[in-house]
Amino acid sequence: MPMLEVQDLTVRYGPLQAVRKIGFSVQQGQIVALIGANGAGKSSTLKALIGLTPAAGGTLRFMDEDITALPAAARVTRGLALSPEGRRLFGRMTVLDNLLAGGHGVRDRARLRRTLQEVYALFPRVHERRGQLAGSLSGGEQQMVAIGRALMAQPRLLMLDEPSLGIAPKVVAEIALAIERLNRDSGLSIILVEQNARLALRLAHQAYALEHGEVVRTGRGEELLADPFVQKAYLGV
Ligand code: ATP
């Protein structure tokens, strides 16, 4: 049984249908990529999954529970976490306080301390900068903090919205490695939303291409990398 099952999800902003009856699933331990151009509906899908945007239709099942009507905080408690597009850090707070904000709902303090050490081990640069104001960090470092903050909530399913956006290629490679490690070493399930389709498809077990709010292609990451339609539309081949 999949850990997450999305059926007929629809998201509307007034008259605009940003997501149109999409369906996809995430199995335990998988990296699932959602690729597509600007405005395809990727972020709206993640926002509906975490509960920041209401679903105008459809059903969301997570860990065998219908979460469609649950508020965002309850979804986080159940194990969903989002690292949002544009990072959305508290720029005038320290890196450490940003990380701790991500774990504010976790009662087990010892576990929280362990997770903090795991985040530092994953991103040594975040450890070095832990006392600095988050707003003073480079874009890549801020992205690491944003992922770390989501990890502090102890998710079972981590959702990453455009982690490579506006970041230097060398740092993108570091972040990609961290995503792989989280999945391989900790067995964490991940939904990766990316405009950088090549990066996402290399990392993904399963991938879905979105256009105008609809799923237009699905397959294993390597299948879509080899698919002429995907190559032409998203990979510039
Ligand atoms: P991006 O990479 O730009 O985030 P995306 O694939 O994530 O693209 P969405 O951000 O989900 O796409 O946007 C899908 C559509 O919904 C677009 O037409 C966008 O302009 C519109 N949209 C997104 N958020 C809102 C909002 N809060 N109010 C109105 N329209 C919105």
Side-chain angles (χ1 to χ4, degrees):
M1 195 198 305
M3 90 186 298
L4 175 76
E5 185 141 40
V6 176
Q7 278 179 332
D8 294 331
L9 174 66
T10 298
V11 177
R12 286 205 189 95
Y13 302 106
L16 177 84
Q17 261 203 329
V19 178
R20 301 159 187 257
K21 290 195 156 211
I22 67 163
F24 66 94
S25 58
V26 180
Q27 305 287 338
Q28 174 76 50
Q30 267 190 334
I31 299 180
V32 169
L34 305 182
I35 61 168
N38 216 335
K42 308 179 300 297
S43 296
S44 298
T45 299
L46 292 192
K47 284 187 201 148
L49 285 174
I50 196 72
L52 291 177
T53 297
T59 315
L60 309 173
R61 289 194 74 80
F62 182 61
M63 307 298 290
D64 208 20
E65 181 188 10
D66 187 340
I67 61 160
T68 320
L70 287 183
R75 299 186 197 195
V76 174
T77 308
R78 285 176 178 58
L80 287 164
L82 171 67
S83 172
E85 185 175 6
R87 307 182 284 268
R88 312 247 167 202
L89 297 179
F90 305 109
R92 289 165 176 276
M93 281 165 51
T94 65
V95 165
L96 176 59
D97 284 342
N98 270 273
L99 293 173
L100 293 176
H104 80 275
V106 179
R107 298 233 173 79
D108 184 340
R109 309 311 293 175
R111 187 155 175 227
L112 212 52
R113 275 195 296 276
R114 276 201 305 280
T115 308
L116 185 62
Q117 295 312 317
E118 285 164 15
V119 169
Y120 287 158
L122 189 67
F123 297 120
R125 219 108 59 89
V126 170
H127 180 246
E128 282 166 31
R129 305 240 187 276
R130 64 191 180 285
Q132 281 179 231
L133 296 184
S136 72
L137 269 54
S138 73
E141 289 165 349
Q142 289 192 18
Q143 185 59 59
M144 294 173 190
V145 177
I147 296 172
R149 182 178 59 181
L151 288 171
M152 291 295 286
Q154 323 269 344
R156 298 169 197 261
L157 176 57
L158 175 67
M159 300 190 278
L160 303 174
D161 197 348
E162 304 266 13
S164 80
L165 195 67
I167 289 172
K170 188 169 163 283
V171 186
V172 170
E174 277 178 50
I175 288 173
L177 199 62
I179 293 170
E180 261 184 326
R181 279 203 191 128
L182 281 170
N183 174 254
R184 197 189 49 217
D185 301 347
S186 314
L188 189 61
S189 310
I190 296 171
I191 300 180
L192 177 60
V193 156
E194 266 296 338
Q195 274 187 53
N196 183 341
R198 195 177 305 277
L199 172 82
L201 294 178
R202 278 188 188 144
L203 291 171
H205 299 109
Q206 192 69 25
Y208 298 82
L210 298 189
E211 271 180 24
H212 306 297
E214 287 175 303
V215 174
V216 292
R217 271 294 196 276
T218 177
R220 286 184 293 119
E222 65 259 36
E223 280 171 355
L224 292 202
L225 276 172
D227 179 333
F229 167 83
V230 171
Q231 290 182 344
K232 188 160 182 291
Y234 307 111
L235 302 173
V237 175

